[in-house]
Amino acid sequence: MIEARRLHILRAVADHRTVTAAAAALYLTPSAVSQQLTALEQETGHRLVERGAKGVRLTPAGEILLAHTNAVLAQLERAEAELAAYRSGAAGTVTVASFATGIVLVVAPALTSLAATAPGIRVRVQDAEGDASLPMVLDRQVDIAVAVEYRGAPDADDPRLTHVPLYAEPFDAVVPVTHRLADTAEVPLAELAKDPWIGPYPGNPCHDVVVLACENAGFQPRLQHSSDDFRAVVALACADAGVALVPRSALHGMDLTGVVVRPVDGTAPTRRVFAAVRRGAEEHPLIRPVLDALGEAAAMG
């Protein structure tokens, strides 16, 4: 008989590629993870993982079991949701991980709504970038991630996750007031090919949006300054340190003295924001109201 908790460990190892990283995500010791993998191999009668200099990879048998693992764990999430519904009385805590602007735009308004419509649900919020929040959901560290589409992110049809689209927003060009394009109605990105750039660090989903937009315009941005804080990005542009692309909502309420903000000429780079939960958990009586409240906040925003 295969134990479900060992399937959680197998998936964590597949996701994180090393025993040490999987152990950290699951709050276990590496030796405990190794012991559980060994036990799982004994239960299945197959070698499931291979260890190498670059980490751990699944064997063909391990890949077969992983495909079933995603289905089994999703069904267990559904079972928990139905049992929670059977108990009725939606009262408990839901943990949401979101990047900062997502907290402002949808998470905080959702909390206000839930306080009136579902007072028994307590929401705990953690600030986390989109590329960090999805692994947190898969590792059961949080219940819901408010995340951004990015290269390398799990697809909408990933068997481990259920995606709920929330909103999409364009990036605007931010240039110093002294910039040669400051008086244009719209900024052609190709005209910024030789400028120094300011932007998020690699790994931040917004970094991917900026780089991809520049690549589509025919150049690689010359990133001279890096910050994941858009207030810092705008401050550097104010200091004439370079140009930037910034999500429109991140500019709300910001001191824009010293810069001009212009739409991008043509198809604007866009970040698409969604909520994600472990597949099967979307109908949990605690999680469903939070997802609905996030969707309503996004629609009103």
Side-chain angles (χ1 to χ4, degrees):
M1 181 68 70
I2 298 174
E3 292 192 20
R5 63 192 177 96
R6 290 176 182 148
L7 296 179
H8 280 292
I9 290 172
L10 179 70
R11 187 160 79 177
V13 170
D15 287 342
H16 293 280
R17 303 295 183 186
T18 71
V19 168
T20 300
L26 298 173
Y27 300 102
L28 297 172
T29 64
S31 62
V33 169
S34 294
Q35 289 169 7
Q36 292 299 318
L37 287 175
T38 299
L40 185 59
E41 289 179 330
Q42 292 172 348
E43 287 173 346
T44 61
H46 292 278
R47 187 178 181 186
L48 302 175
V49 298
E50 292 180 346
R51 292 169 174 80
K54 295 184 178 180
V56 176
R57 69 179 184 88
L58 298 188
T59 64
E63 294 287 355
I64 291 172
L65 183 58
L66 179 63
H68 289 285
T69 291
N70 291 327
V72 168
L73 295 184
Q75 191 60 41
L76 286 175
E77 293 283 356
R78 294 187 188 98
E80 289 182 10
E82 289 189 20
L83 288 171
Y86 177 76
R87 286 196 304 267
S88 70
T93 300
V94 175
T95 305
V96 179
S98 172
F99 58 101
T101 310
I103 292 173
V104 173
L105 287 184
V106 295
V107 178
L111 264 62
T112 301
S113 172
L114 288 165
T117 61
I121 298 178
R122 299 180 301 277
V123 179
R124 188 162 59 90
V125 180
Q126 296 185 23
D127 189 336
E129 290 298 334
D131 58 327
S133 61
L134 293 177
M136 292 169 71
V137 168
L138 290 172
D139 293 335
R140 304 180 70 86
Q141 297 172 8
V142 301
D143 301 302
I144 300 173
V146 175
V148 178
E149 291 182 3
Y150 60 94
R151 286 189 284 193
D155 294 332
D157 60 354
D158 188 295
R160 301 169 297 171
L161 295 168
T162 294
H163 285 220
V164 179
L166 294 177
Y167 65 92
E169 64 170 328
F171 281 59
D172 288 326
V174 177
V175 302
V177 292
T178 57
H179 195 273
R180 64 188 181 280
L181 299 178
D183 294 330
T184 61
E186 296 181 334
V187 172
L189 281 185
E191 296 295 322
L192 302 176
K194 295 183 179 180
D195 285 87
W197 278 73
I198 312 157
Y201 284 101
N204 185 314
C206 289
H207 173 89
D208 287 346
V209 175
V210 171
V211 171
L212 184 59
C214 293
E215 289 175 352
N216 289 339
F219 69 97
Q220 285 282 340
R222 189 161 51 91
L223 284 164
Q224 295 292 307
H225 309 283
S226 298
S227 175
D228 289 335
D229 186 333
F230 286 116
R231 291 170 299 179
V233 170
V234 170
L236 288 168
C238 287
D240 203 17
V243 300
L245 289 173
V246 176
R248 187 167 292 172
S249 64
L251 296 167
H252 293 169
M254 198 179 292
D255 182 4
L256 300 176
T257 305
V259 298
V260 294
V261 178
R262 296 287 184 265
V264 172
D265 184 32
T267 303
T270 302
R271 71 171 172 182
R272 291 174 173 80
V273 179
F274 62 93
V277 298
R278 292 180 295 279
R279 189 173 291 271
E282 60 272 12
E283 296 304 327
H284 191 287
L286 293 178
I287 292 175
R288 182 76 258 171
V290 179
L291 289 175
D292 291 342
L294 291 170
E296 291 167 5
M300 294 181 65

